[in-house]
């Protein structure tokens, strides 16, 4: 087989051996295919390269062939073609046509009874001894009418019958129809012929009783398509949104794929949906084959000839690949599988109504590569920074098996794009859908990859069995390669035209988080990303809806919160879950997913949480199958974690992943990066590192302390940071959480200053009034060492208080002044709010994030101030420029000065005098005021502007507010004329 590949788009069109000949060393396209290919080349307007795939001519090459038959069927389109008891039945179509039956044994067509009325635009399904014609229409273009009743054809009697009525409000044609577990499901369709009325409806019809049930709408409306049941799921792909009245009969094709899970009664949410269909078209044929959805033919506004492409979707991996193209493009027919062969007949050869065909084509299924063994060539398409999941069929094993799949197997997948190579670690995934099934065994192995380059990528997977190789840096012992299906392939990555928005909440639109000069940035971001996050409950993942989650022991120790009797349920946030949001295992997860929705609605953009707290506070979070076995991981629990993580990324919430507590930092390998710690880190990287907004926090309160004297040493801390620098293929930020007092920081953290693989500190400070000075001090220490650290203000003390609830402290004045604004104007990268240990809704017991809504709002106000008015990374803390000792002052030299006035006072500020206007006078500076508690626009106080001089007064704040609240804190923003 050969193909033509468009280098610009990455698309490949395949030609079977009957499609070409050779003359004088050149390949010549035959007949109608030449016209079709030339039309495709004209559409692509790109460089085309001849691609050889396998041998050029082979006797058993998979290809569609035209079957010579005795007799011919009545030419038609918008008909059904379906197999019943080893024969193929052609039913309906425009006009009244006979039922034509094809017998593959004799290759003979036989005409039977005509349809009782004109029937077209339906998908037929077989139920017992009958063929149901679901969602049919009658009448002429463009105002066809949906039928009022279900039509049934009985092949053995050659009879039609009108049976049960269809509810008037659910009548439509051009829908997808499938049969599953005793009911026929009808999805999508159009209510008003071709004029308008496309719908996302899903209904279930009982062919015995006639009962009709309305089910949840599909994520995408579509009509003119066929559906199929693949691996127990309804899959709807291709189709269009027809609107003849808007001159949009053909062009509004649908690329998204919708998957309905019968067991869960829900549509699969993003980002778990499969990749978009490579060739958008409607009027297509569809069928299921060996866990794949097969889409063939169709029509679109992109070309006049009907489509000949046949593309298959692997429902487990979510990726598309090619089958051989049809000999003759067509739409408005169906696939009929009889034995080892799939047939297609009739249809229209061009977009629209003609020419109507009478030819019959056949593909021998046995000549196709088995599922997972074919090599797609740039037919799968993904978007830049959009995570991809690759599933491979490997050895059947289990979480408890010997050899241990986590320590004795290693899956590596190498991805290449030009000269760029990414080596990604894979993981054992049980049955591949453990989040929903709870499976502990199976033969599915997965790898997750987020492409960061546009272009054509290839991949090659390799699974090896070597004792404990999975936890080492180098190959040790005898390697035993293990066979994987679908081990290689390729896909094309495209940019996101019109969607790359620096303000997008969805992190999959913004690229990977990075640290540059002490601040967070994203690949697509003009400025810094300021963290305004939620730091509690730290045992966020101790959630009752996660498999294998419980509390080992309920303890009460000095210096920590008291854990409740049960793990979290987040019941108050079930109301924040919306239809279509992620869930798992028959409706679980609504409380936590709803909580993520709520936090995102309040402007929270980061969540701090532990992944291992055994021996620490709570003792209710671990990734293992047992709290006593650190070499086996709970596949279903980790898949459920990942479903929450994906939702967080979609909602603009970064994963601040804290890997251990001070009480358990010596739990694995006595603190070394040894066998168990490597295994733990590698599993986290393999399963979660594909998320763009992820921060690795090496440990809470890390290092020795009075209350935890057996902490990790500086050398052990450095080795942890080095491990992530070496093994994380995406180079996510690596930070470490500090102790609270300045003395403890000096003792433990000083030895880490300047270490290149450690990007910064997750700061804990004992008293709010100390925050500003401590942040400045550690930024300066790191600068002097030549490696400027990022500082995140992530836990405020005293430990028993933190940030209390709104009911206890409605204004949060101290926290807002000293911690939020104090840290940001000292050069911090952002905040996470810790809930304390001895108050209601604390660091272990909190169930309702609404209890601190005022804090979320004030944090968002501060973040938006800098996003709108100043680049935080350019500010230099310079409190000496203000003459008020309680002020925080930062400057961008010769451009801007921002002062935080902590309550009721005014100030003078020393401005630079180097800028001169054209007359030689000092440059003018505007003076504006901002309310850090309530937000709003910049305001003008008693002085509109000042001239640059050594010391100038900024005047009084806006009179009405100042009189109403005497001790109101204010932010003063001065800008030079050139900086406005």
């Amino acid at each position: 087989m050969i193909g033509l590949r468009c280098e610009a788009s990455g698309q490949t069109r395949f030609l079977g051996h009957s499609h070409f000949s050779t003359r004088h060393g050149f390949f010549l396209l035959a007949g109608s295919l030449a016209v079709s290919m030339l039309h495709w080349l004209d559409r692509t307007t790109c460089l085309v390269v001849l691609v050889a795939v396998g041998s050029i001519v082979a006797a058993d090459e998979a290809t569609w062939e035209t079957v010579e038959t005795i007799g011919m069927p009545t030419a038609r389109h918008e008909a059904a073609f379906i197999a019943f008891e080893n024969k193929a039945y052609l039913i309906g179509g425009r006009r009244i046509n006979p039922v034509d039956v094809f017998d593959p044994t004799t290759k003979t067509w036989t005409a039977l009874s005509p349809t009782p009325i004109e029937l077209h635009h339906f998908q037929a399904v077989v139920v017992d001894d009958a063929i149901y014609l679901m969602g049919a229409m009658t009448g002429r273009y463009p105002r066809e009418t949906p039928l009022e009743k279900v039509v049934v054809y009985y092949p053995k009697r050659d009879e039609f019958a009108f049976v049960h009525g269809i509810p008037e409000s659910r009548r439509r044609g051009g829908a997808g129809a499938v049969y599953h577990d005793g009911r026929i499901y009808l999805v999508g369709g159009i209510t008003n012929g071709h004029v308008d009325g496309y719908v996302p409806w899903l209904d279930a019809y009982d062919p015995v009783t006639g009962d009709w049930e309305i089910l949840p709408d599909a994520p995408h409306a579509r009509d003119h398509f066929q559906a199929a049941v693949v691996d127990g799921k309804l899959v709807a792909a291709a189709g269009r949104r027809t609107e003849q009245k808007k001159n949009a009969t053909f062009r509004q094709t649908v690329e998204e794929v919708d998957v309905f899970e019968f067991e869960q009664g829900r549509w699969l949410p993003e980002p778990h949906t499969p990749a978009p269909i490579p060739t958008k078209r409607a009027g297509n044929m569809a069928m299921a084959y060996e866990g794949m959805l097969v889409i063939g033919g169709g029509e679109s506004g992109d070309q006049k000839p009907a489509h000949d492409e046949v593309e298959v979707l692997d429902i487990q991996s979510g990726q598309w690949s090619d089958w051989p193209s049809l000999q003759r493009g067509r739409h408005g027919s169906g696939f009929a599988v009889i034995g080892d062969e799939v047939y297609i007949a009739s249809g229209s050869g061009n977009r629209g109504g003609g020419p109507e065909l009478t030819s019959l084509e056949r593909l021998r299924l046995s000549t196709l590569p088995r599922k997972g063994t074919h090599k797609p060539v740039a037919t799968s398409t993904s978007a830049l920074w959009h995570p991809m999941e690759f599933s491979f069929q490997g050895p059947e094993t289990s979480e408890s098996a010997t050899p241990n799949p986590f320590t004795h197997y290693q899956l590596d997948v190498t991805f290449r794009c030009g000269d760029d190579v990414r080596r990604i670690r894979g993981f054992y995934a049980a049955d591949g859908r453990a989040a929903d099934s709870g499976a502990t065994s199976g033969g599915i192995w997965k790898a997750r990859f987020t492409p960061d380059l546009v272009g054509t990528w290839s991949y090659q997977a390799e699974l090896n069995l070597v004792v404990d190789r999975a936890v080492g840096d180098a190959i040790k012992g005898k390697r035993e390669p293990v066979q994987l299906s679908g081990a290689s392939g390729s896909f094309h990555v495209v940019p996101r035209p019109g969607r790359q928005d620096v303000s997008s909440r969805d992190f999959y639109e913004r690229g990977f988080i990075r640290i540059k000069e002490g601040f967070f940035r994203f690949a697509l971001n003009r400025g810094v990303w300021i963290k305004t996050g939620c730091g509690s409950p730290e045992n966020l993942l101790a959630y009752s809806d996660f498999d294998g989650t419980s509390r080992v022991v309920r303890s009460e120790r000095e210096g920590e919160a008291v854990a409740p009797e049960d793990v979290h349920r987040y019941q108050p946030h079930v109301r924040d879950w919306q239809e279509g949001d992620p869930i798992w295992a028959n409706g679980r997860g609504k409380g936590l997913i709803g909580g993520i929705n709520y936090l995102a609605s309040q402007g929270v953009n980061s969540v701090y949480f532990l992944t291992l707290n055994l021996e620490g506070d709570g003792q209710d979070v671990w990734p293992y199958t047992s709290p006593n076995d650190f070499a086996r991981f709970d596949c279903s629990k980790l898949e459920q974690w990942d479903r929450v993580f994906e939702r967080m990324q979609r909602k603009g919430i970064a994963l601040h992943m804290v890997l251990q507590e001070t009480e358990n930092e010596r739990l694995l390998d006595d603190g070394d990066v040894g066998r168990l710690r490597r295994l733990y880190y590698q599993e986290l990287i393999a399963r979660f590192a594909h998320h763009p907004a992820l921060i690795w926090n090496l440990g809470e309160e890390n290092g020795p302390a009075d209350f935890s004297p057996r902490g990790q040493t500086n050398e052990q801390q450095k080795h942890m940071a080095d491990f992530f620098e070496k093994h994380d293929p995406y180079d996510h930020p690596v930070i470490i959480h500090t102790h609270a007092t300045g003395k403890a920081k000096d003792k433990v953290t000083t030895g880490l200053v300047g270490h290149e693989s450690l990007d910064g500190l997750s700061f804990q400070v004992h008293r709010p009034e100390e925050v500003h000075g401590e942040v400045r001090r550690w930024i300066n220490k790191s600068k002097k060492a030549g490696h400027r650290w990022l500082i995140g203000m992530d836990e405020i003390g005293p430990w028993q208080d933190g940030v209390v609830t709104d009911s206890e402290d409605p204004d949060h004045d101290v926290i807002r002044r000293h911690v939020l604004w104090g840290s940001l104007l000292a050069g911090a990268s952002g905040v996470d709010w810790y809930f304390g240990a001895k108050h209601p809704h604390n660091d272990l017991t909190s169930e309702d994030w609404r209890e601190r809504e005022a804090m979320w709002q004030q944090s968002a106000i501060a973040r938006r101030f800098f996003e709108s008015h100043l680049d935080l990374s350019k500010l230099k803390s310079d409190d000496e420029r203000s003459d008020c000792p309680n002020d925080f002052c930062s400057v961008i030299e010769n451009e801007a000065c921002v002062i935080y006035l902590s309550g009721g006072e005014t100030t003078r500020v020393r401005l630079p005098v180097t800028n001169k206007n054209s007359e030689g006078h000092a440059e003018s500076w505007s003076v504006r005021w901002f309310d850090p508690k309530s937000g709003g626009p910049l305001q003008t106080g008693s002085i509109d502007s000042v001239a640059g001089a050594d010391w100038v007064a900024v005047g009084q704040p806006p009179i009405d507010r100042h009189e109403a609240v005497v001790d109101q804190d204010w932010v003063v923003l001065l800008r030079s004329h050139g900086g406005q």
Side-chain angles (χ1 to χ4, degrees), residues 747-779:
K747 182 178 179 180
V748 174
T749 313
T750 299
L752 300 176
V753 174
H755 191 66
E756 289 294 328
S757 58
L758 185 64
D759 297 308
L761 300 179
S762 175
F763 230 48
Q764 181 184 184
V765 179
H766 180 55
R767 299 183 185 279
E769 295 81 4
E770 299 171 353
V771 167
H772 184 75
E774 279 292 283
V775 172
R776 289 185 65 184
R777 184 166 74 93
W778 281 90
I779 287 175

Side-chain angles (χ1 to χ4, degrees), residues 111-394:
L112 301 178
S113 298
T115 56
I117 62 173
E118 183 180 22
L119 297 172
H120 49 73
H121 289 87
F122 60 91
Q123 184 173 359
V125 294
V126 173
V127 180
D128 298 328
D129 63 346
I131 299 174
Y132 281 72
L133 315 181
M134 296 298 300
M137 295 194 290
T138 190
R140 300 183 64 182
Y141 177 88
R143 298 186 180 276
E144 299 91 341
T145 304
L147 264 62
E148 299 177 2
K149 288 190 174 184
V150 175
V151 182
V152 180
Y153 177 69
Y154 297 96
K156 295 179 180 179
R157 305 198 303 261
D158 186 25
E159 292 179 359
F160 286 90
F162 291 86
V163 290
H164 305 111
I166 302 171
E168 184 176 359
S169 62
R170 308 297 284 187
R171 295 171 187 167
R172 74 274 203 184
V178 300
Y179 180 70
H180 175 74
D181 197 21
R183 298 203 291 179
I184 297 174
Y185 291 80
L186 196 66
V187 58
I190 190 165
T191 61
N192 190 20
H194 286 72
V195 178
D196 58 14
Y198 50 82
V199 294
W201 298 343
L202 175 64
D203 300 288
Y205 159 69
D206 188 326
V208 176
T209 65
D211 291 341
W212 198 277
E213 181 183 1
I214 297 175
L215 298 174
D217 286 351
H220 302 92
R222 70 183 79 214
D223 59 81
H224 281 74
F225 76 105
Q226 294 181 0
V229 175
V230 186
D231 279 354
K233 301 178 180 67
L234 186 159
V235 186
R240 66 184 186 232
R241 297 184 294 272
T242 307
E243 284 187 287
Q244 183 266 349
K245 72 174 185 178
K246 293 184 178 180
N247 196 28
T249 302
F250 302 108
R251 58 185 170 85
Q252 296 182 159
T253 46
V254 180
E255 67 175 355
E256 294 87 356
V257 178
D258 294 331
V259 178
F260 184 76
E261 298 178 307
F262 292 109
E263 291 184 7
Q264 288 74 35
R266 60 124 190 198
W267 291 96
L268 196 66
E270 288 190 3
H272 297 281
T273 51
I277 188 169
T279 305
K280 296 193 295 182
R281 55 314 220 324
N284 57 282
M285 287 61 74
M287 71 176 194
Y289 175 68
E290 289 195 349
M292 296 181 287
L293 173 73
V294 183
I295 297 292
E299 62 180 344
S300 71
D302 293 337
Q303 63 186 58
K304 182 178 179 180
H307 286 273
D308 60 4
E309 297 93 338
V310 181
E311 294 165 333
V312 295
L313 170 66
D314 185 324
I315 198 65
Q316 287 188 342
S317 70
Q319 302 303 311
W320 291 87
S321 58
D322 277 348
W323 271 10
S325 296
L326 299 170
Q327 292 276 348
R328 181 70 163 92
R330 65 186 76 206
H331 70 89
S333 181
F335 286 134
V337 178
I338 302 174
D340 180 49
E341 297 168 331
V342 56
Y343 294 87
I344 187 170
S346 74
S348 175
N350 286 337
R351 179 179 63 213
E356 291 184 323
L357 306 176
T358 58
S359 61
L360 176 75
E361 294 184 34
R362 174 183 63 189
L363 174 68
R364 298 188 197 285
L365 296 171
S366 59
T367 63
L368 291 165
R370 303 297 291 176
K371 177 186 174 183
T373 62
H374 54 278
K375 298 183 179 182
V377 183
T379 57
S380 175
T381 301
S382 185
L384 186 68
W385 303 319
H386 184 85
M388 304 177 70
E389 184 174 271
F390 297 80
S391 294
F392 308 99
Q393 184 71 48

Side-chain angles (χ1 to χ4, degrees), residues 216-217 265-267 576-583 590 597 647:
D217 286 351
R266 60 124 190 198
W267 291 96
D576 298 306
W577 184 88
Q578 301 292 322
E579 195 67 39
D581 286 349
I583 50 175
K590 292 182 179 180
N597 290 347
R647 183 61 173 180

Side-chain angles (χ1 to χ4, degrees), residues 559 607 847 896:
V607 170
E847 295 286 295

Side-chain angles (χ1 to χ4, degrees), residues 2 15-22 27-38 327:
I2 65 169
L15 290 69
H17 65 267
S18 61
H19 287 159
F20 65 88
S21 61
T22 58
F27 289 99
L28 302 179
L29 302 182
S32 62
L33 181 72
V35 177
S36 175
M37 293 302 295
L38 288 173
Q327 292 276 348

